[in-house]
Amino acid sequence: MEKLISIIEKTLVPVANKLSQNKYLNAISGGCMSTLGIIMLGAVFTILTNISWQPYTDLLAKTGLGQLFTGVQNVTTNLLAVYMAFAVGYRGATVFGNKKYTLTSGFLSLFAYMLLIPLDSTTLADSGISFFNTAYLGTKGVFVALLAGLVVSRLLALITEKNIVIKLPDSVPPAISVPFTSIIPAFIAMYAVAAITYGFNLVTGQLIIDWIYDILQTPLLGFSQNPLSIIL
């Protein structure tokens, strides 16, 4: 047993240390950890909603607690990708040395993620209503949300490092200057995301969020159920 522990310390620990120093993984881990409260809350209420015991389900139906529990699940687990897009973008700004624009990075990452979601349309009571497909707002869209947060936060950091911003006098308060100086980086970042999304859809005829889910997220979810991955 001691030999096994020694081998693990010599081989895996150095790799783990290097991974922990990687800025991209740092942004992902930090962003995901900041949503831990939402994840745990959603998990608890998902369990409470799905207990299959007839007296318990009757109680939920009579008291209205079932509707309350489902509502909590809908705004936690079923919106997880939304929270992660903002959290990773926010954390990414800190990791990439762009602390001045943390909120801007978070909101732009969320906006970029929304650009990747298909906008469905339906008709209700003879009036057209547009709405987001909520299937992409939960766990199905998590991987894309992480990528959106990473790409936007890194791109925003690169643009601000090049000082491609609106320059205002030093006398202008930060509360006013920061939003104004972020206009050009925000425009460039959002234009790049929109162009990539449109170009990918035009060439492949497939939404980039669906392609990423089929090619990357689904195989990774399958790998996570492998006994070897559990041991690692």
Side-chain angles (χ1 to χ4, degrees), residues 21-97:
Q21 296 173 2
N22 184 282
K23 291 184 178 181
Y24 296 92
L25 294 179
N26 235 324
I28 292 176
S29 62
C32 290
M33 286 301 296
S34 65
T35 63
L36 185 59
I38 295 173
I39 295 172
M40 295 301 296
L41 187 64
V44 170
F45 277 89
T46 298
I47 294 172
L48 292 176
T49 304
N50 292 282
I51 295 177
S52 300
W53 184 43
Q54 193 60 43
Y56 177 77
T57 55
D58 292 341
L59 176 64
L60 293 185
K62 291 179 180 179
T63 60
L65 288 175
Q67 186 176 0
L68 174 62
F69 292 172
T70 302
V72 174
Q73 181 183 347
N74 287 336
V75 297
T76 52
T77 304
N78 294 343
L79 291 179
L80 185 59
V82 175
Y83 303 128
M84 283 196 173
F86 176 85
V88 173
Y90 186 96
R91 175 62 180 170
T94 303
V95 170
F96 297 128

Side-chain angles (χ1 to χ4, degrees), residues 118-153:
L119 185 64
D120 293 339
S121 179
T122 188
T123 301
L124 181 63
D126 299 326
S127 62
I129 297 178
S130 295
F131 61 91
F132 287 116
N133 188 342
T134 56
Y136 295 95
L137 301 180
T139 55
K140 185 176 181 179
V142 164
F143 200 88
V144 176
L146 299 180
L147 289 178
L150 283 178
V151 171
V152 171
S153 61

Side-chain angles (χ1 to χ4, degrees), residues 5-7 17-18 22 31 70 76 85 94 103-104 119 139 154 171 184 196 207 217:
I5 295 176
S6 177
I7 293 173
N17 289 334
K18 288 184 180 181
N22 184 282
T70 302
T76 52
T94 303
L103 278 176
T104 300
L119 185 64
T139 55
R154 184 56 182 149
S171 58
I184 293 178
I196 292 172
L207 294 171
Q217 186 166 336

Side-chain angles (χ1 to χ4, degrees), residues 137-202:
L137 301 180
T139 55
K140 185 176 181 179
V142 164
F143 200 88
V144 176
L146 299 180
L147 289 178
L150 283 178
V151 171
V152 171
S153 61
R154 184 56 182 149
L155 185 59
L156 190 65
L158 289 174
I159 296 171
T160 54
E161 283 175 9
K162 299 295 182 180
N163 206 24
I164 308 176
V165 297
I166 297 176
K167 296 178 174 62
L168 296 176
D170 296 335
S171 58
V172 178
I176 299 176
S177 63
V178 171
F180 270 95
T181 55
S182 65
I183 291 177
I184 293 178
F187 177 81
I188 295 174
M190 290 304 95
Y191 183 83
V193 172
I196 292 172
T197 303
Y198 175 76
F200 187 91
N201 190 11
L202 189 66

